Amino acid sequence: MMFITISPKQAEQYSYTCIRLKQMINKMCAARKTLEGIANASFDKSFSKCVYLFTSESLQCENEIRAQIESLSCFNYEDNNINSQKTSPANAINGIESICNYCEKAYLKPYKKLLSDKHIGNSLKSLMQNHLQLFMSSLTQLRLFNEVKTAAKLN
């Protein structure tokens, strides 16, 4: 059996990273639940499917962040801070453009902020960059859905 000791500086960095990841996952989970509420309330099946696709990708990213938290041995990780997060009421978000704006604030902005943090390791930044690309692609798909739907109504 091999024992690994870490320096106090490394322990401090791991702790900081854990806190940042916990904050990130709590925000993401709250945003995902808001989007799921919007999709559940929609009578437009195609629209709901697009939003559900985005939320399923969000859940995948949340799971990958949870795995990172576990790998950093963040023993005091609590996933119940979700209720304490301020979420936008689902009824205040109407239409695809307001959903895209909400997603930009809830996903893209926090990811970019985390990526600019000089205390976050390169391997974690690589994962975050991949997530950011995924969310940007998903937002593009949501916007294209709106354009296709608008074009179909005109024809």
Side-chain angles (χ1 to χ4, degrees):
M1 183 180 277
M2 185 174 174
F3 293 98
I4 299 173
T5 57
I6 59 173
S7 69
K9 185 175 180 175
Q10 287 174 316
E12 186 179 318
Q13 185 176 9
Y14 287 165
S15 177
Y16 175 80
T17 301
C18 286
I19 290 168
R20 293 297 309 269
L21 290 176
K22 290 174 192 178
Q23 291 169 343
M24 181 79 157
I25 200 165
N26 287 334
K27 288 177 185 177
M28 288 176 66
C29 190
R32 179 177 48 82
K33 289 186 181 294
T34 298
L35 292 172
E36 287 172 345
I38 291 168
N40 285 336
S42 176
F43 293 110
D44 185 342
K45 278 189 171 188
S46 299
F47 170 77
S48 292
K49 285 181 183 181
C50 285
V51 175
Y52 281 130
L53 177 63
F54 189 94
T55 61
S56 68
E57 290 170 346
S58 175
L59 182 58
Q60 176 62 35
C61 292
E62 288 174 45
N63 289 335
E64 290 176 12
I65 293 171
R66 281 187 184 94
Q68 287 295 315
I69 290 171
E70 286 181 26
S71 73
L72 292 170
S73 300
C74 301
F75 297 113
N76 60 351
Y77 172 65
E78 299 267 336
D79 201 17
N80 58 4
N81 292 340
I82 296 161
N83 296 329
S84 67
Q85 294 289 324
K86 291 182 180 178
T87 58
S88 295
N91 57 3
I93 302 172
N94 54 5
I96 198 78
E97 197 55 41
S98 65
I99 287 176
C100 290
N101 291 336
Y102 174 75
C103 290
E104 285 176 358
K105 289 179 204 168
Y107 291 95
L108 301 187
K109 187 177 176 182
Y111 268 93
K112 288 177 182 178
K113 186 176 180 181
L114 190 64
L115 283 167
S116 68
D117 190 326
K118 64 182 178 181
H119 301 292
I120 302 296
N122 287 334
S123 62
L124 184 57
K125 280 188 178 183
S126 178
L127 176 68
M128 296 294 111
Q129 186 66 41
N130 290 338
H131 287 182
L132 179 61
Q133 291 297 325
L134 176 71
F135 286 127
M136 288 176 18
S137 173
S138 296
L139 278 173
T140 300
Q141 289 175 352
L142 282 173
R143 285 191 169 103
L144 286 173
F145 168 77
N146 190 41
E147 289 179 21
V148 167
K149 192 171 181 181
T150 303
K153 285 182 182 178
L154 296 175
N155 291 331

mmCIF file of all heavy atoms in Angstrom, residues 68-107:
data_model
loop_
_atom_site.group_PDB
_atom_site.id
_atom_site.type_symbol
_atom_site.label_atom_id
_atom_site.label_comp_id
_atom_site.label_asym_id
_atom_site.label_seq_id
_atom_site.Cartn_x
_atom_site.Cartn_y
_atom_site.Cartn_z
ATOM 1 N N GLN A 68 -14.941 15.073 -9.997
ATOM 2 C CA GLN A 68 -13.753 15.857 -9.656
ATOM 3 C C GLN A 68 -13.724 16.174 -8.167
ATOM 4 O O GLN A 68 -12.676 16.102 -7.530
ATOM 5 C CB GLN A 68 -13.713 17.165 -10.462
ATOM 6 C CG GLN A 68 -13.365 16.994 -11.902
ATOM 7 C CD GLN A 68 -11.951 16.485 -12.086
ATOM 8 O OE1 GLN A 68 -11.011 16.943 -11.461
ATOM 9 N NE2 GLN A 68 -11.807 15.496 -12.962
ATOM 10 N N ILE A 69 -14.874 16.513 -7.622
ATOM 11 C CA ILE A 69 -14.957 16.808 -6.187
ATOM 12 C C ILE A 69 -14.561 15.576 -5.380
ATOM 13 O O ILE A 69 -13.786 15.671 -4.425
ATOM 14 C CB ILE A 69 -16.382 17.289 -5.808
ATOM 15 C CG1 ILE A 69 -16.626 18.680 -6.397
ATOM 16 C CG2 ILE A 69 -16.577 17.309 -4.296
ATOM 17 C CD1 ILE A 69 -18.049 19.165 -6.286
ATOM 18 N N GLU A 70 -15.059 14.420 -5.781
ATOM 19 C CA GLU A 70 -14.697 13.181 -5.090
ATOM 20 C C GLU A 70 -13.212 12.878 -5.225
ATOM 21 O O GLU A 70 -12.576 12.427 -4.273
ATOM 22 C CB GLU A 70 -15.526 12.017 -5.622
ATOM 23 C CG GLU A 70 -16.959 12.041 -5.146
ATOM 24 C CD GLU A 70 -17.761 10.860 -5.663
ATOM 25 O OE1 GLU A 70 -17.159 9.799 -5.951
ATOM 26 O OE2 GLU A 70 -18.984 11.005 -5.782
ATOM 27 N N SER A 71 -12.650 13.128 -6.405
ATOM 28 C CA SER A 71 -11.228 12.834 -6.606
ATOM 29 C C SER A 71 -10.337 13.751 -5.771
ATOM 30 O O SER A 71 -9.210 13.399 -5.450
ATOM 31 C CB SER A 71 -10.847 12.926 -8.085
ATOM 32 O OG SER A 71 -10.807 14.269 -8.511
ATOM 33 N N LEU A 72 -10.856 14.919 -5.422
ATOM 34 C CA LEU A 72 -10.107 15.844 -4.568
ATOM 35 C C LEU A 72 -10.342 15.560 -3.083
ATOM 36 O O LEU A 72 -9.830 16.269 -2.232
ATOM 37 C CB LEU A 72 -10.500 17.298 -4.882
ATOM 38 C CG LEU A 72 -10.081 17.813 -6.254
ATOM 39 C CD1 LEU A 72 -10.735 19.159 -6.536
ATOM 40 C CD2 LEU A 72 -8.576 17.923 -6.340
ATOM 41 N N SER A 73 -11.114 14.534 -2.811
ATOM 42 C CA SER A 73 -11.429 14.131 -1.437
ATOM 43 C C SER A 73 -12.066 15.263 -0.640
ATOM 44 O O SER A 73 -11.655 15.573 0.473
ATOM 45 C CB SER A 73 -10.175 13.622 -0.727
ATOM 46 O OG SER A 73 -9.658 12.513 -1.398
ATOM 47 N N CYS A 74 -13.068 15.848 -1.213
ATOM 48 C CA CYS A 74 -13.815 16.894 -0.511
ATOM 49 C C CYS A 74 -14.882 16.205 0.332
ATOM 50 O O CYS A 74 -16.029 16.073 -0.067
ATOM 51 C CB CYS A 74 -14.466 17.841 -1.511
ATOM 52 S SG CYS A 74 -13.297 18.643 -2.616
ATOM 53 N N PHE A 75 -14.491 15.758 1.486
ATOM 54 C CA PHE A 75 -15.354 14.923 2.305
ATOM 55 C C PHE A 75 -16.598 15.646 2.796
ATOM 56 O O PHE A 75 -17.620 15.032 3.023
ATOM 57 C CB PHE A 75 -14.586 14.366 3.501
ATOM 58 C CG PHE A 75 -13.456 13.478 3.089
ATOM 59 C CD1 PHE A 75 -12.143 13.862 3.313
ATOM 60 C CD2 PHE A 75 -13.698 12.287 2.442
ATOM 61 C CE1 PHE A 75 -11.098 13.052 2.916
ATOM 62 C CE2 PHE A 75 -12.660 11.474 2.031
ATOM 63 C CZ PHE A 75 -11.357 11.857 2.274
ATOM 64 N N ASN A 76 -16.510 16.925 2.983
ATOM 65 C CA ASN A 76 -17.659 17.647 3.516
ATOM 66 C C ASN A 76 -18.565 18.182 2.418
ATOM 67 O O ASN A 76 -19.316 19.111 2.637
ATOM 68 C CB ASN A 76 -17.197 18.790 4.422
ATOM 69 C CG ASN A 76 -16.336 19.794 3.684
ATOM 70 O OD1 ASN A 76 -15.944 19.568 2.547
ATOM 71 N ND2 ASN A 76 -16.030 20.903 4.334
ATOM 72 N N TYR A 77 -18.510 17.574 1.254
ATOM 73 C CA TYR A 77 -19.338 18.019 0.138
ATOM 74 C C TYR A 77 -20.802 17.786 0.457
ATOM 75 O O TYR A 77 -21.212 16.703 0.815
ATOM 76 C CB TYR A 77 -18.953 17.278 -1.149
ATOM 77 C CG TYR A 77 -19.902 17.548 -2.282
ATOM 78 C CD1 TYR A 77 -20.013 18.820 -2.811
ATOM 79 C CD2 TYR A 77 -20.692 16.546 -2.802
ATOM 80 C CE1 TYR A 77 -20.876 19.091 -3.840
ATOM 81 C CE2 TYR A 77 -21.561 16.797 -3.836
ATOM 82 C CZ TYR A 77 -21.649 18.075 -4.350
ATOM 83 O OH TYR A 77 -22.524 18.325 -5.366
ATOM 84 N N GLU A 78 -21.571 18.834 0.323
ATOM 85 C CA GLU A 78 -23.013 18.762 0.548
ATOM 86 C C GLU A 78 -23.698 19.172 -0.743
ATOM 87 O O GLU A 78 -23.402 20.220 -1.298
ATOM 88 C CB GLU A 78 -23.433 19.723 1.658
ATOM 89 C CG GLU A 78 -22.790 19.443 2.992
ATOM 90 C CD GLU A 78 -23.621 18.558 3.879
ATOM 91 O OE1 GLU A 78 -24.839 18.522 3.679
ATOM 92 O OE2 GLU A 78 -23.060 17.904 4.747
ATOM 93 N N ASP A 79 -24.620 18.359 -1.181
ATOM 94 C CA ASP A 79 -25.336 18.658 -2.418
ATOM 95 C C ASP A 79 -26.699 19.266 -2.117
ATOM 96 O O ASP A 79 -27.536 19.365 -2.975
ATOM 97 C CB ASP A 79 -25.500 17.379 -3.239
ATOM 98 C CG ASP A 79 -25.769 17.656 -4.716
ATOM 99 O OD1 ASP A 79 -25.513 18.790 -5.160
ATOM 100 O OD2 ASP A 79 -26.235 16.741 -5.393
ATOM 101 N N ASN A 80 -26.913 19.670 -0.866
ATOM 102 C CA ASN A 80 -28.222 20.193 -0.505
ATOM 103 C C ASN A 80 -28.246 21.711 -0.447
ATOM 104 O O ASN A 80 -29.205 22.282 0.023
ATOM 105 C CB ASN A 80 -28.693 19.596 0.822
ATOM 106 C CG ASN A 80 -27.723 19.888 1.941
ATOM 107 O OD1 ASN A 80 -26.743 20.589 1.761
ATOM 108 N ND2 ASN A 80 -28.010 19.333 3.099
ATOM 109 N N ASN A 81 -27.217 22.381 -0.918
ATOM 110 C CA ASN A 81 -27.215 23.838 -0.954
ATOM 111 C C ASN A 81 -28.036 24.378 -2.108
ATOM 112 O O ASN A 81 -28.169 25.567 -2.261
ATOM 113 C CB ASN A 81 -25.780 24.366 -1.067
ATOM 114 C CG ASN A 81 -24.991 24.109 0.181
ATOM 115 O OD1 ASN A 81 -25.545 23.891 1.247
ATOM 116 N ND2 ASN A 81 -23.681 24.133 0.058
ATOM 117 N N ILE A 82 -28.591 23.490 -2.890
ATOM 118 C CA ILE A 82 -29.342 23.887 -4.071
ATOM 119 C C ILE A 82 -30.534 24.751 -3.684
ATOM 120 O O ILE A 82 -30.829 25.735 -4.326
ATOM 121 C CB ILE A 82 -29.818 22.631 -4.850
ATOM 122 C CG1 ILE A 82 -28.591 21.895 -5.360
ATOM 123 C CG2 ILE A 82 -30.748 23.006 -5.963
ATOM 124 C CD1 ILE A 82 -28.852 20.480 -5.722
ATOM 125 N N ASN A 83 -31.209 24.384 -2.608
ATOM 126 C CA ASN A 83 -32.379 25.139 -2.201
ATOM 127 C C ASN A 83 -32.033 26.548 -1.757
ATOM 128 O O ASN A 83 -32.885 27.436 -1.795
ATOM 129 C CB ASN A 83 -33.117 24.401 -1.084
ATOM 130 C CG ASN A 83 -33.664 23.083 -1.560
ATOM 131 O OD1 ASN A 83 -34.013 22.945 -2.733
ATOM 132 N ND2 ASN A 83 -33.739 22.106 -0.686
ATOM 133 N N SER A 84 -30.813 26.762 -1.322
ATOM 134 C CA SER A 84 -30.426 28.093 -0.877
ATOM 135 C C SER A 84 -30.038 29.003 -2.033
ATOM 136 O O SER A 84 -29.892 30.194 -1.848
ATOM 137 C CB SER A 84 -29.256 27.996 0.108
ATOM 138 O OG SER A 84 -28.105 27.533 -0.553
ATOM 139 N N GLN A 85 -29.875 28.439 -3.221
ATOM 140 C CA GLN A 85 -29.512 29.244 -4.380
ATOM 141 C C GLN A 85 -30.739 30.015 -4.867
ATOM 142 O O GLN A 85 -31.847 29.495 -4.894
ATOM 143 C CB GLN A 85 -29.002 28.359 -5.524
ATOM 144 C CG GLN A 85 -27.719 27.653 -5.229
ATOM 145 C CD GLN A 85 -26.547 28.618 -5.206
ATOM 146 O OE1 GLN A 85 -26.502 29.559 -5.967
ATOM 147 N NE2 GLN A 85 -25.631 28.374 -4.309
ATOM 148 N N LYS A 86 -30.505 31.248 -5.253
ATOM 149 C CA LYS A 86 -31.592 32.021 -5.833
ATOM 150 C C LYS A 86 -31.757 31.568 -7.274
ATOM 151 O O LYS A 86 -30.815 31.595 -8.048
ATOM 152 C CB LYS A 86 -31.272 33.510 -5.797
ATOM 153 C CG LYS A 86 -31.257 34.080 -4.404
ATOM 154 C CD LYS A 86 -30.976 35.562 -4.443
ATOM 155 C CE LYS A 86 -30.959 36.124 -3.023
ATOM 156 N NZ LYS A 86 -30.640 37.548 -3.015
ATOM 157 N N THR A 87 -32.952 31.158 -7.606
ATOM 158 C CA THR A 87 -33.226 30.748 -8.977
ATOM 159 C C THR A 87 -34.249 31.700 -9.573
ATOM 160 O O THR A 87 -35.079 32.263 -8.861
ATOM 161 C CB THR A 87 -33.780 29.309 -9.041
ATOM 162 O OG1 THR A 87 -34.975 29.247 -8.259
ATOM 163 C CG2 THR A 87 -32.770 28.308 -8.535
ATOM 164 N N SER A 88 -34.184 31.850 -10.862
ATOM 165 C CA SER A 88 -35.176 32.667 -11.539
ATOM 166 C C SER A 88 -36.464 31.887 -11.582
ATOM 167 O O SER A 88 -36.463 30.702 -11.893
ATOM 168 C CB SER A 88 -34.726 32.970 -12.966
ATOM 169 O OG SER A 88 -33.579 33.749 -12.962
ATOM 170 N N PRO A 89 -37.552 32.531 -11.267
ATOM 171 C CA PRO A 89 -38.818 31.814 -11.377
ATOM 172 C C PRO A 89 -39.052 31.429 -12.829
ATOM 173 O O PRO A 89 -38.810 32.223 -13.739
ATOM 174 C CB PRO A 89 -39.861 32.817 -10.881
ATOM 175 C CG PRO A 89 -39.155 34.096 -10.648
ATOM 176 C CD PRO A 89 -37.699 33.890 -10.813
ATOM 177 N N ALA A 90 -39.506 30.212 -13.016
ATOM 178 C CA ALA A 90 -39.690 29.696 -14.374
ATOM 179 C C ALA A 90 -40.661 30.548 -15.177
ATOM 180 O O ALA A 90 -40.512 30.689 -16.383
ATOM 181 C CB ALA A 90 -40.167 28.252 -14.320
ATOM 182 N N ASN A 91 -41.641 31.152 -14.506
ATOM 183 C CA ASN A 91 -42.624 31.946 -15.243
ATOM 184 C C ASN A 91 -42.061 33.291 -15.694
ATOM 185 O O ASN A 91 -42.638 33.957 -16.525
ATOM 186 C CB ASN A 91 -43.898 32.143 -14.432
ATOM 187 C CG ASN A 91 -43.636 32.799 -13.090
ATOM 188 O OD1 ASN A 91 -42.508 33.168 -12.766
ATOM 189 N ND2 ASN A 91 -44.679 32.925 -12.296
ATOM 190 N N ALA A 92 -40.916 33.713 -15.155
ATOM 191 C CA ALA A 92 -40.290 34.963 -15.581
ATOM 192 C C ALA A 92 -39.471 34.763 -16.859
ATOM 193 O O ALA A 92 -39.071 35.732 -17.484
ATOM 194 C CB ALA A 92 -39.404 35.522 -14.478
ATOM 195 N N ILE A 93 -39.223 33.520 -17.217
ATOM 196 C CA ILE A 93 -38.457 33.219 -18.420
ATOM 197 C C ILE A 93 -39.433 32.701 -19.466
ATOM 198 O O ILE A 93 -40.003 31.635 -19.319
ATOM 199 C CB ILE A 93 -37.378 32.148 -18.132
ATOM 200 C CG1 ILE A 93 -36.448 32.617 -17.024
ATOM 201 C CG2 ILE A 93 -36.601 31.828 -19.389
ATOM 202 C CD1 ILE A 93 -35.493 31.561 -16.538
ATOM 203 N N ASN A 94 -39.639 33.507 -20.491
ATOM 204 C CA ASN A 94 -40.568 33.083 -21.534
ATOM 205 C C ASN A 94 -39.928 33.313 -22.888
ATOM 206 O O ASN A 94 -39.328 34.343 -23.143
ATOM 207 C CB ASN A 94 -41.903 33.820 -21.426
ATOM 208 C CG ASN A 94 -41.721 35.315 -21.402
ATOM 209 O OD1 ASN A 94 -40.611 35.808 -21.564
ATOM 210 N ND2 ASN A 94 -42.793 36.042 -21.209
ATOM 211 N N GLY A 95 -40.003 32.347 -23.714
ATOM 212 C CA GLY A 95 -39.425 32.448 -25.039
ATOM 213 C C GLY A 95 -37.990 31.954 -25.069
ATOM 214 O O GLY A 95 -37.282 31.962 -24.067
ATOM 215 N N ILE A 96 -37.602 31.528 -26.232
ATOM 216 C CA ILE A 96 -36.294 30.906 -26.407
ATOM 217 C C ILE A 96 -35.161 31.890 -26.157
ATOM 218 O O ILE A 96 -34.132 31.528 -25.584
ATOM 219 C CB ILE A 96 -36.185 30.237 -27.796
ATOM 220 C CG1 ILE A 96 -35.039 29.238 -27.832
ATOM 221 C CG2 ILE A 96 -36.005 31.257 -28.883
ATOM 222 C CD1 ILE A 96 -35.345 27.955 -27.196
ATOM 223 N N GLU A 97 -35.340 33.140 -26.539
ATOM 224 C CA GLU A 97 -34.258 34.120 -26.351
ATOM 225 C C GLU A 97 -34.014 34.394 -24.867
ATOM 226 O O GLU A 97 -32.868 34.510 -24.438
ATOM 227 C CB GLU A 97 -34.553 35.417 -27.108
ATOM 228 C CG GLU A 97 -33.335 36.290 -27.282
ATOM 229 C CD GLU A 97 -32.147 35.585 -27.946
ATOM 230 O OE1 GLU A 97 -32.336 34.822 -28.901
ATOM 231 O OE2 GLU A 97 -31.012 35.810 -27.485
ATOM 232 N N SER A 98 -35.073 34.482 -24.083
ATOM 233 C CA SER A 98 -34.869 34.706 -22.646
ATOM 234 C C SER A 98 -34.267 33.464 -21.989
ATOM 235 O O SER A 98 -33.479 33.581 -21.041
ATOM 236 C CB SER A 98 -36.165 35.128 -21.955
ATOM 237 O OG SER A 98 -37.126 34.107 -21.997
ATOM 238 N N ILE A 99 -34.588 32.284 -22.502
ATOM 239 C CA ILE A 99 -33.956 31.060 -21.991
ATOM 240 C C ILE A 99 -32.469 31.070 -22.327
ATOM 241 O O ILE A 99 -31.632 30.746 -21.485
ATOM 242 C CB ILE A 99 -34.643 29.797 -22.564
ATOM 243 C CG1 ILE A 99 -36.001 29.618 -21.911
ATOM 244 C CG2 ILE A 99 -33.781 28.560 -22.355
ATOM 245 C CD1 ILE A 99 -36.810 28.484 -22.452
ATOM 246 N N CYS A 100 -32.134 31.463 -23.540
ATOM 247 C CA CYS A 100 -30.721 31.531 -23.928
ATOM 248 C C CYS A 100 -29.971 32.552 -23.076
ATOM 249 O O CYS A 100 -28.847 32.290 -22.640
ATOM 250 C CB CYS A 100 -30.594 31.870 -25.411
ATOM 251 S SG CYS A 100 -31.135 30.522 -26.496
ATOM 252 N N ASN A 101 -30.600 33.692 -22.825
ATOM 253 C CA ASN A 101 -29.968 34.696 -21.962
ATOM 254 C C ASN A 101 -29.776 34.156 -20.547
ATOM 255 O O ASN A 101 -28.734 34.377 -19.926
ATOM 256 C CB ASN A 101 -30.797 35.977 -21.931
ATOM 257 C CG ASN A 101 -30.778 36.708 -23.253
ATOM 258 O OD1 ASN A 101 -29.858 36.548 -24.047
ATOM 259 N ND2 ASN A 101 -31.797 37.506 -23.505
ATOM 260 N N TYR A 102 -30.779 33.445 -20.054
ATOM 261 C CA TYR A 102 -30.679 32.833 -18.727
ATOM 262 C C TYR A 102 -29.529 31.816 -18.692
ATOM 263 O O TYR A 102 -28.736 31.796 -17.752
ATOM 264 C CB TYR A 102 -32.004 32.156 -18.359
ATOM 265 C CG TYR A 102 -31.954 31.389 -17.072
ATOM 266 C CD1 TYR A 102 -31.965 32.053 -15.853
ATOM 267 C CD2 TYR A 102 -31.885 29.999 -17.064
ATOM 268 C CE1 TYR A 102 -31.900 31.353 -14.663
ATOM 269 C CE2 TYR A 102 -31.816 29.293 -15.883
ATOM 270 C CZ TYR A 102 -31.836 29.978 -14.675
ATOM 271 O OH TYR A 102 -31.767 29.275 -13.504
ATOM 272 N N CYS A 103 -29.433 31.000 -19.722
ATOM 273 C CA CYS A 103 -28.371 29.987 -19.789
ATOM 274 C C CYS A 103 -26.987 30.634 -19.867
ATOM 275 O O CYS A 103 -26.033 30.122 -19.279
ATOM 276 C CB CYS A 103 -28.587 29.053 -20.978
ATOM 277 S SG CYS A 103 -30.002 27.956 -20.782
ATOM 278 N N GLU A 104 -26.897 31.726 -20.601
ATOM 279 C CA GLU A 104 -25.613 32.428 -20.665
ATOM 280 C C GLU A 104 -25.191 32.904 -19.280
ATOM 281 O O GLU A 104 -24.032 32.778 -18.896
ATOM 282 C CB GLU A 104 -25.698 33.612 -21.631
ATOM 283 C CG GLU A 104 -25.687 33.187 -23.078
ATOM 284 C CD GLU A 104 -25.865 34.347 -24.042
ATOM 285 O OE1 GLU A 104 -26.044 35.501 -23.601
ATOM 286 O OE2 GLU A 104 -25.833 34.087 -25.261
ATOM 287 N N LYS A 105 -26.145 33.448 -18.509
ATOM 288 C CA LYS A 105 -25.829 33.922 -17.158
ATOM 289 C C LYS A 105 -25.564 32.763 -16.205
ATOM 290 O O LYS A 105 -24.689 32.842 -15.349
ATOM 291 C CB LYS A 105 -26.974 34.775 -16.613
ATOM 292 C CG LYS A 105 -27.115 36.109 -17.263
ATOM 293 C CD LYS A 105 -28.289 36.864 -16.673
ATOM 294 C CE LYS A 105 -28.798 37.899 -17.644
ATOM 295 N NZ LYS A 105 -30.087 38.451 -17.244
ATOM 296 N N ALA A 106 -26.343 31.696 -16.340
ATOM 297 C CA ALA A 106 -26.255 30.583 -15.394
ATOM 298 C C ALA A 106 -25.117 29.617 -15.689
ATOM 299 O O ALA A 106 -24.608 28.966 -14.767
ATOM 300 C CB ALA A 106 -27.584 29.819 -15.366
ATOM 301 N N TYR A 107 -24.703 29.519 -16.947
ATOM 302 C CA TYR A 107 -23.685 28.541 -17.320
ATOM 303 C C TYR A 107 -22.413 29.188 -17.865
ATOM 304 O O TYR A 107 -21.326 28.964 -17.335
ATOM 305 C CB TYR A 107 -24.234 27.553 -18.361
ATOM 306 C CG TYR A 107 -25.278 26.624 -17.804
ATOM 307 C CD1 TYR A 107 -26.637 26.910 -17.921
ATOM 308 C CD2 TYR A 107 -24.921 25.455 -17.152
ATOM 309 C CE1 TYR A 107 -27.600 26.061 -17.404
ATOM 310 C CE2 TYR A 107 -25.879 24.596 -16.637
ATOM 311 C CZ TYR A 107 -27.214 24.907 -16.761
ATOM 312 O OH TYR A 107 -28.158 24.073 -16.246
#
